[in-house]
Amino acid sequence: MEKEYEEYLEELKSWLEETRDTKLESMDQFFEERVETYDEHMESWDKYYKVMGKLIPKNTKELLDIGCGTGLELEEIFKHLPAIRVTGIDLAKSMLDKLENKYKDKNTELICGDYFTTEFGEGCFDTAISFQTLHHFRPEKKIEVFRKLYSSLKNGGCYIECDYIARTQEIEDLLFLESDIRREKEKLSEEYFVHFDTPLTLEHEIELIKKAGFEKVEFFNEGEDKNTVLIVAWK
């Protein structure tokens, strides 16, 4: 395990060094330019879509999906709960257009916007989800969203997250340092969203979720992927 981790860490450091001169892309631009290939690119996450679909409580009638993209995670959810009503939020209009075209016969409300500033409402949803979207942000930004998600859920509701995690504190620190270096080089403020991964450790992620108010938090790891986790948090 130690050897495998050291190899992974060296590969990560090499990649960061090799790409250091690559210009950071804004979040919306990154996804707008990749909308045609996005679904194919995300096929490797199929097992996580299936697990998330099964984790959605059967009594869910109202679902909030932040950073919903083209709605790949919704396919499995609709298999289990075809009558569910979904509110989806995403920065990329072209992604939402593709989602809408996929699920024309489903009950969806799609919002093109920033989920940090978009209002979720109070006690509106039975379940909220996010899939591979929050690993680009600092803890102080993430807890804002976790608190909003908590408030948006009905009592007894849950939040389900599938996301990257940093295997160790060393990796978390390394990626945030690299992000700082690149932002400083390009004179970009933290309020300017860029597509650069800064995942937290699982311990740090769960700590923030609990700090936001969630009482019970569980996590699942599928197979041998040590960089991805599913988290279920209950209100």
Side-chain angles (χ1 to χ4, degrees):
M1 173 60 184
E2 184 175 341
K3 181 180 179 182
E4 185 270 341
Y5 171 72
E6 291 300 328
E7 289 175 352
Y8 171 80
L9 183 59
E10 287 307 310
E11 288 176 4
L12 177 59
K13 288 179 178 178
S14 296
W15 179 82
L16 291 173
E17 186 174 345
E18 291 169 6
T19 61
R20 189 156 290 150
D21 292 330
T22 303
K23 187 176 176 61
L24 293 171
E25 293 182 73
S26 68
M27 194 74 74
D28 54 347
Q29 177 187 359
F30 180 89
F31 288 106
E32 291 284 2
E33 292 183 357
R34 291 163 177 80
V35 65
E36 295 304 322
T37 59
Y38 180 77
D39 286 12
E40 182 180 355
H41 172 71
M42 294 296 285
E43 284 179 356
S44 60
W45 301 104
D46 184 59
K47 62 183 177 183
Y48 290 98
Y49 295 132
K50 289 179 178 177
V51 174
M52 179 177 275
K54 292 176 182 177
L55 288 172
I56 304 295
K58 302 305 180 193
N59 64 346
T60 301
K61 293 182 174 59
E62 295 280 346
L63 177 80
L64 172 64
D65 186 353
I66 64 168
C68 58
T70 64
L72 289 168
E73 62 277 10
L74 296 178
E75 182 175 351
E76 288 295 325
I77 295 172
F78 283 134
K79 285 180 183 178
H80 296 280
L81 298 166
I84 196 172
R85 183 176 187 274
V86 175
T87 299
I89 304 172
D90 201 274
L91 277 174
K93 177 65 164 56
S94 58
M95 290 274 185
L96 293 176
D97 289 342
K98 195 168 183 178
L99 187 159
E100 186 174 31
N101 190 54
K102 280 184 191 177
Y103 305 117
K104 290 179 180 178
D105 62 333
K106 299 301 181 184
N107 188 356
T108 62
E109 178 186 357
L110 303 179
I111 301 168
C112 185
D114 163 10
Y115 50 64
F116 289 102
T117 57
T118 300
E119 292 296 327
F120 298 168
E122 301 283 331
C124 302
F125 301 99
D126 303 295
T127 304
I129 62 172
S130 69
F131 197 101
Q132 298 291 4
T133 183
L134 284 168
H135 58 275
H136 304 105
F137 305 107
R138 290 189 171 276
E140 54 268 28
K141 293 295 292 182
K142 294 178 83 163
I143 197 168
E144 289 179 26
V145 174
F146 293 147
R147 285 173 174 151
K148 287 174 64 178
L149 288 168
Y150 182 85
S151 295
S152 75
L153 290 169
K154 300 172 185 176
N155 289 332
C158 74
Y159 164 59
I160 304 173
E161 171 182 306
C162 178
D163 218 330
Y164 290 126
I165 57 166
R167 293 194 199 180
T168 64
Q169 190 61 49
E170 180 181 19
I171 290 175
E172 180 182 317
D173 293 342
L174 174 67
L175 290 170
F176 275 105
L177 175 60
E178 186 70 24
S179 175
D180 290 342
I181 291 171
R182 297 187 186 205
R183 282 181 177 276
E184 174 61 28
K185 182 179 179 181
E186 297 186 34
K187 307 302 180 188
L188 300 176
S189 74
E190 283 297 329
E191 298 307 311
Y192 184 79
F193 299 154
V194 297
H195 189 270
F196 185 83
D197 293 351
T198 50
L200 304 181
T201 63
L202 177 59
E203 294 76 14
H204 199 176
E205 189 84 358
I206 289 176
E207 179 186 342
L208 287 180
I209 292 172
K210 287 184 174 179
K211 191 174 180 179
F214 290 94
E215 292 86 7
K216 180 183 177 183
V217 182
E218 304 170 290
F219 68 91
F220 308 86
N221 184 265
E222 292 300 305
E224 298 180 359
D225 184 356
K226 300 179 179 64
N227 303 313
T228 305
V229 72
L230 276 154
I231 296 173
V232 182
W234 296 88
K235 180 174 180 178

